[in-house]
Amino acid sequence: MAKQKEEQGHKDAKHEGGGFWHLFGRAALSVVLGIVLAFLLPTRFGEEMGAQTMARYAAPFSGYLFDRARAKVVDNNRVDWYSKSITVLVIDAEVLRACKEGWPAHYSFYSWLLQYLNRFPPKGVFIDVILSQSKGQDAAKRKKAKELKDPEEPECRDETVDTGPIGTLDESDFDHFKNALMRLTSQNNVPVFLAARRTIENTLVTNPDLDSDDDLKKLKRVGIEFSAHSVDRLAWTYPLVYPKDERPGKKKPSPEQTAHSVPEQPGTSEGDCPRSAAFSIFKELYHGTLDVPCTEAAFMSVTWPLDTAAYGLHWHESMDGEREERHGIWPRVDSRDGDEDMYCTSNESQIKLLWRAEARAFLRPLSRPLCVHYRTIHASQLPKHMGDGPNVATPNDLELSDAELNDAFRGRFVMIGTSFAYSNDLVLSPLQDRIPGVFLHAAALDNLLSYPNDLEKVEAWELKLKMPLSRWGKILTLGIVGFIGFFIIVSIKKKVRKVFAEFHHERTHWRKRFHPHWWIAKSITAGFNIALFVISLAVLVSFGVAMILFGAWMDIPFLVVAHILACAIAVESLEWSEHLFNWITDSKEK
């Protein structure tokens, strides 16, 4: 009787018909659940590591395609793109030691740097250092050093100006710095952008000495505030504008603070708001037509170029735990290039760079990070003296020639930043790992110059219920393409399982419990399930990377695509969609 009831129960159980609608519903449910979870997880939990992993896998391909697309545009108009090329001038610890400088450096040090830019005028200059030192304090230190004949007195000075006697030293360094800036802007017609802080009134300021000087007020102040991603700390996005914070409970300035506030800088008037460094340079110098409203904070997605510069950042490999792990692993994909002592790897072949970056994204010890994309001049490479006077020292082998400096600076955009191994001005790139923050501004400006003047092309938006119909249309298109891919993957997965089930079913001698053949069958089945899970997960991740690139082609920010795909892949790899579909339809797969 019990056997008859069991057979009757099996007859009454609902099975999928031909299997098509079951696969169709399962694949569709994976995509729908992926979109739903992408809405919920970042908001409620904030730590969707799968999305960042997917984005890291896609970053090398995005950089590769970015370089390829830009190379075609550059080939069509090399003269125009020469002025859009970026050179980074970094202040390193070696130059501070050679010039007997501390940090923050004296104004005379910056005068010394600017003399080379005046000699080889660039397209524009961005100083990514907030000049917070007071000219009074600076002059006092310099005067004391002169009176005591301090051997540690800074030696790198602008030889083209007369420093004057000791008695008039109080403001000479600041004046010489100001004169160097004025020569750039007035005589050489070079726009200068100064890094600045935001005040509580949402204006950009440097320091009272600079901001109160009538001539220096004309220099454009730009914002440098940046927040890395909250999960992986990587620089995926970059701010465009900084609207005033009107959140409830936000401390407002007192009337006294408002009365003594620094006059507003250009671009900070009512109805407008401060711009970030890259966006301001793009608008002011390159006359970009991209308009960004100041009603709320706006960000752009940053694509880091894959190609490496011939003259990049001269950092040596650190003696840390990752280095030990990397040198203990075999095989590595970045060896035998003659740059083993460098922190980064470089190669003329972009295919090799793509392979190395992807290997590092999968397992960090397999490769060092890629070298930076932008030509980098270290301040320690600049000759310490100029001219033919008696103070001119014999140049050493590390110093650059006039021809090299002319090629690096003249007509190009120059960004000046710091390059200290341990500093708070460092960012994490998905390709270059830990690098000076000035390279983030360079990458952002490079992106703005490379993409059309359309906010939709660069804006980093997130999934919201209240979105323009155009964005919902893109998400729907992405969902349809994703459904087709998931349907194919699910179909192949089911076919493989069916073949294995038939193979297993034919071996009737495997069914005797606790027999040696039974244990063999269990082992084979376990191995099959594990292999199928790993292979299907690898296929899903590869499909996810392709979908991120497809989304980028449709101007969908990669983190949005990554969030949806990470959730959808989790749903499918754990087979939640199959079980949920069976439960909803009250069906059972054979």
Side-chain angles (χ1 to χ4, degrees):
M1 181 64 69
K3 186 174 182 181
Q4 289 177 352
K5 288 182 178 181
E6 184 179 352
E7 291 176 354
Q8 183 66 29
H10 283 299
K11 290 178 182 179
D12 293 339
K14 295 180 180 180
H15 298 282
E16 55 165 331
F20 174 81
W21 290 111
H22 186 279
L23 293 176
F24 184 93
R26 176 179 168 183
L29 196 58
S30 294
V31 175
V32 171
L33 286 176
I35 295 176
V36 171
L37 291 177
F39 270 104
L40 298 178
L41 286 180
T43 303
R44 295 192 177 181
F45 303 102
E47 293 190 359
E48 186 49 52
M49 291 300 297
Q52 275 63 44
T53 301
M54 293 286 298
R56 282 200 301 273
Y57 289 151
F61 291 98
S62 297
Y64 176 77
L65 295 177
F66 177 84
D67 286 339
R68 291 286 299 272
R70 185 178 50 185
K72 294 179 181 178
V73 178
V74 173
D75 288 341
N76 294 333
N77 195 343
R78 288 189 174 274
V79 176
D80 177 60
W81 272 91
Y82 182 87
S83 65
K84 296 178 181 178
S85 60
I86 299 170
T87 296
V88 177
L89 173 59
V90 292
I91 302 170
D92 49 355
E94 289 76 13
V95 74
L96 295 181
R97 286 195 296 268
C99 293
K100 297 181 180 179
E101 273 284 1
W103 190 257
H106 296 86
Y107 281 113
S108 59
F109 175 78
Y110 293 101
S111 302
W112 171 74
L113 287 181
L114 293 177
Q115 69 178 322
Y116 292 100
L117 302 183
N118 274 304
R119 186 175 180 185
F120 311 106
K123 172 76 172 180
V125 176
F126 166 48
I127 302 178
D128 186 27
V129 180
I130 294 182
L131 303 171
S132 58
Q133 58 270 43
S134 165
K135 63 181 179 182
Q137 295 174 343
D138 197 32
K141 291 180 181 178
R142 297 279 294 112
K143 186 174 182 179
K144 185 177 180 180
K146 281 283 187 181
E147 292 173 347
L148 298 178
K149 297 182 179 180
D150 190 349
E152 294 301 315
E153 175 199 355
E155 291 187 349
C156 297
R157 301 181 59 82
D158 187 350
E159 300 293 335
T160 63
V161 298
D162 182 15
T163 58
I166 295 177
T168 62
L169 184 67
D170 287 345
E171 296 186 2
S172 63
D173 282 350
F174 180 81
D175 290 338
H176 295 151
F177 171 68
K178 172 185 171 179
N179 292 336
L181 286 175
M182 291 299 99
R183 286 201 301 275
L184 268 177
T185 57
S186 301
Q187 297 180 18
N188 294 315
N189 198 28
V190 176
V192 176
F193 300 82
L194 299 179
R197 296 188 180 94
R198 279 201 299 160
T199 67
I200 52 181
E201 298 94 356
N202 204 36
T203 58
L204 294 172
V205 298
T206 51
N207 70 55
D209 294 326
L210 289 171
D211 296 331
S212 61
D213 189 283
D214 291 335
D215 294 322
L216 298 181
K217 281 182 182 179
K218 301 175 184 178
L219 302 183
K220 185 71 176 180
R221 272 67 170 171
V222 295
I224 56 173
E225 292 181 14
F226 163 75
S227 296
H229 194 276
S230 58
V231 176
D232 56 15
R233 311 308 300 167
L234 293 181
W236 294 114
T237 59
Y238 183 84
L240 295 173
V241 294
Y242 304 104
K244 192 170 184 178
D245 194 348
E246 299 289 357
R247 292 175 297 178
K250 183 72 175 180
K251 184 178 180 181
K252 295 184 178 181
S254 64
E256 183 180 355
Q257 289 175 315
T258 304
H260 292 86
S261 60
V262 177
E264 290 183 345
Q265 301 300 328
T268 62
S269 59
E270 186 176 356
D272 200 353
C273 53
R275 295 169 179 162
S276 65
F279 188 52
S280 184
I281 295 166
F282 173 70
K283 293 284 288 184
E284 300 288 333
L285 182 59
Y286 294 99
H287 309 292
T289 58
L290 180 66
D291 292 322
V292 180
C294 287
T295 54
E296 59 182 1
F299 301 86
M300 64 175 288
S301 295
V302 177
T303 300
W304 290 88
L306 181 77
D307 197 13
T308 55
Y311 305 98
L313 193 60
H314 298 168
W315 277 4
H316 290 279
E317 192 173 23
S318 300
M319 303 294 290
D320 54 16
E322 183 178 320
R323 177 187 181 277
E324 303 250 336
E325 189 176 1
R326 184 163 54 243
H327 283 267
I329 194 171
W330 189 90
R332 279 174 52 197
V333 300
D334 64 336
S335 56
R336 299 185 300 276
D337 265 359
D339 58 354
E340 286 292 310
D341 60 332
M342 298 300 295
Y343 88 100
C344 61
T345 179
S346 180
N347 199 280
E348 294 182 358
S349 171
Q350 283 197 299
I351 298 299
K352 288 186 177 180
L353 294 176
L354 178 63
W355 164 241
R356 294 174 184 181
E358 200 61 42
R360 181 174 173 83
F362 177 73
L363 186 63
R364 288 175 64 89
L366 288 178
S367 175
R368 291 165 291 162
L370 300 186
C371 295
V372 294
H373 173 77
Y374 304 98
R375 179 168 185 173
T376 305
I377 301 297
H378 290 246
S380 57
Q381 296 177 289
L382 301 176
K384 301 302 178 289
H385 300 276
M386 292 179 65
D388 302 318
N391 293 329
V392 176
T394 303
N396 58 50
D397 295 336
L398 299 178
E399 292 181 354
L400 299 176
S401 65
D402 285 354
E404 292 172 315
L405 292 176
N406 183 69
D407 182 61
F409 295 148
R410 189 180 295 276
R412 304 179 189 270
F413 191 85
V414 177
M415 293 188 172
I416 302 176
T418 58
S419 174
F420 306 137
Y422 300 97
S423 167
N424 60 354
D425 187 21
L426 295 172
V427 298
L428 288 174
S429 157
L431 301 181
Q432 289 83 21
D433 205 65
R434 184 171 59 99
I435 52 176
V438 65
F439 288 100
L440 174 60
H441 301 294
L445 177 60
D446 197 8
N447 278 223
L448 290 169
L449 293 172
S450 300
Y451 293 136
N453 292 331
D454 183 1
L455 182 60
E456 197 69 22
K457 295 283 185 181
V458 298
E459 186 179 10
W461 47 271
E462 297 180 353
L463 284 175
K464 297 178 181 177
L465 292 176
K466 293 183 179 180
M467 291 193 306
L469 290 178
S470 60
R471 293 183 179 178
W472 276 113
K474 292 178 180 180
I475 295 297
L476 179 61
T477 303
L478 186 74
I480 293 173
V481 175
F483 160 74
I484 295 173
F486 271 100
F487 182 81
I488 294 173
I489 294 172
V490 168
S491 301
I492 295 174
K493 191 175 178 180
K494 182 188 175 184
K495 180 65 176 177
V496 172
R497 278 185 169 171
K498 184 178 179 181
V499 171
F500 180 78
E502 292 174 352
F503 168 79
H504 191 284
H505 185 71
E506 291 174 355
R507 283 150 181 79
T508 56
H509 59 284
W510 282 6
R511 301 176 189 174
K512 190 174 181 181
R513 295 178 66 83
F514 303 115
H515 190 274
H517 293 295
W518 183 81
W519 289 108
I520 293 174
K522 287 292 183 183
S523 301
I524 293 176
T525 302
F528 169 79
N529 288 332
I530 293 173
L532 182 63
F533 174 80
V534 173
I535 293 173
S536 63
L537 182 61
V539 172
L540 286 169
V541 170
S542 301
F543 170 70
V545 171
M547 287 295 293
I548 289 177
L549 299 178
F550 176 71
W553 178 73
M554 291 198 303
D555 301 325
I556 302 178
F558 48 81
L559 285 183
V560 171
V561 185
H563 275 295
I564 294 176
L565 286 168
C567 296
I569 288 173
V571 167
E572 176 54 38
S573 60
L574 298 176
E575 299 184 351
W576 293 346
S577 60
E578 178 183 358
H579 300 313
L580 183 59
F581 184 79
N582 290 339
W583 177 75
I584 292 174
T585 60
D586 193 21
S587 62
K588 186 177 180 181
E589 188 176 5
K590 293 181 181 179

